[in-house]
Amino acid sequence: MADHSSHDPLAGIPFDLVPPSGAYGAAGEASVTVSTVETPFIALVVARNGFAASVAGRLGRAFGLEIADRAGAAMGAASTVVGTGPGRFLVLSKTEPDLAGTLRALLGAEAAITEQDDAFVTFDLAGDKVPDLLAKGALIDLDPRVFLPGHAATTVIAHVGVTLWRVHESGWRLLVARSYEASFTRFLVASGAEFGLRLENGTAGRG
Amino acid sequence: MRIPCPYCGERDAHEFAYLGDATVTRPDPAAADAAQAFHDYVYLRDNPAGAHQEWWYHANGCRQWLRVARDTRTHAIAAATSARVSGEPA
């Protein structure tokens, strides 16, 4: 009988630790690159009843982005605003250390702000095979002809809650609750191995 | 079964939690027959074969409550609307 364990890209890696950086699966040029990026400042904005349009407008003017109250990602050089529900916006910034405070000053009584800096781990997925990888765990249609750059979705992938958006033609960004990092990274490695996957992360070994 | 969420689009039923009959109305607790009315409200349900109004909660999506019109025989969904209308008092 064939020894299947030799084909397991995760063989020998403790299931509760983040797999180490490196190449997994098919040899040759990796078709999928997975990296965990530090998006240091994240806050959730929930518009109070009746203020969704006003909040979207204020956020758009403040960050120089086109923001509507829908499931989409508005991306700028320093900040991204993702719609996760009616009147709910996840704001990500590279440059605002006190993002929640800035948003409170901006939105006043129109919204409730919650700091989420440490809530998520951010996965950057690059490569043309990313939709094929994600299709193994997703319940939604991520076909590149359907899920276009700027589209966003809050859903489950591999039974794990995910907010994802397509950054550009061959780049996708996923926010996953931080405590799922090891488990979700294993899903990515196992599902991307057939295409050849390169994992680059600075948090290997974390449980 | 897929539910057409007004915010997220069509989503698999696994993303939702079923919260039951959307046709019952909470009775007035101050009414004289409140005990009986609450018993009926909490425990008694019709089991229609056909069109039904139901609450579904989009737990793994936009986290909103939906009112879904579903045919219990075919699972065909005629409509799904947000339970809360923005701007209305909560």
Side-chain angles (χ1 to χ4, degrees):
Chain A
M1 215 170 110
D3 178 9
H4 291 290
S5 67
S6 63
H7 300 295
D8 180 359
L10 293 163
I13 298 172
F15 72 90
D16 56 345
L17 298 181
V18 177
S21 296
Y24 290 89
E29 189 74 13
S31 299
V32 174
T33 307
V34 173
S35 50
T36 50
V37 287
E38 284 304 318
T39 310
F41 312 117
I42 308 176
L44 177 67
V45 172
V46 181
R48 296 196 193 279
N49 197 7
F51 287 100
S54 169
V55 165
R58 283 175 191 267
L59 288 174
R61 285 190 295 278
F63 292 100
L65 299 168
E66 200 71 47
I67 296 169
D69 186 14
R70 59 178 171 77
M75 293 165 279
S79 52
T80 296
V81 178
V82 185
T84 63
R88 299 169 72 99
F89 305 91
L90 211 48
V91 181
L92 300 91
S93 169
K94 293 175 186 165
T95 53
E96 292 280 348
D98 182 20
L99 182 60
T102 304
L103 290 168
R104 270 186 207 104
L106 175 71
L107 300 169
E110 292 192 0
I113 320 289
T114 327
E115 193 232 272
Q116 301 283 347
D117 289 356
D118 298 320
F120 302 105
V121 57
T122 309
F123 290 97
D124 256 353
L125 275 57
D128 293 337
K129 289 292 185 188
V130 169
D132 299 278
L133 184 167
L134 293 176
K136 297 181 185 183
L139 301 169
I140 63 170
D141 190 358
L142 294 173
D143 187 294
R145 293 165 297 181
V146 176
F147 196 80
L148 304 174
H151 283 193
T154 300
T155 182
V156 285
I157 293 179
H159 305 282
V160 175
V162 168
T163 293
L164 80 158
W165 61 101
R166 190 168 170 197
V167 182
H168 52 74
E169 208 47 44
S170 61
W172 288 259
R173 184 161 276 197
L174 281 68
L175 295 182
V176 176
R178 196 170 276 282
S179 56
Y180 282 102
E181 181 177 7
S183 167
F184 197 78
T185 305
R186 288 179 71 87
F187 158 74
L188 293 173
V189 168
S191 304
E194 68 159 304
F195 312 116
L197 177 141
R198 195 168 75 247
L199 177 66
E200 298 164 357
N201 70 42
T203 56
R206 189 160 70 190
Chain B
M1 193 172 81
R2 292 170 77 79
I3 296 174
C5 172
Y7 184 85
C8 302
E10 204 171 74
R11 290 295 181 89
D12 193 277
H14 287 101
E15 291 192 2
F16 297 81
Y18 177 65
L19 274 305
D21 193 337
T23 63
V24 291
T25 308
R26 191 173 192 274
D28 175 8
D33 64 342
Q36 184 59 43
F38 266 91
H39 175 273
D40 295 356
Y41 166 70
V42 172
Y43 295 111
L44 300 189
R45 291 288 180 274
D46 292 331
N47 186 17
H52 194 33
Q53 296 280 326
E54 301 165 338
W55 298 123
W56 288 79
Y57 176 64
H58 198 181
N60 278 302
C62 58
R63 298 172 186 169
Q64 303 295 304
W65 290 75
L66 306 181
R67 176 192 283 270
V68 176
R70 182 176 70 100
D71 189 308
T72 58
R73 292 167 303 185
T74 63
H75 296 312
I77 291 172
T81 55
S82 178
R84 187 182 70 163
V85 179
S86 180
E88 276 188 356

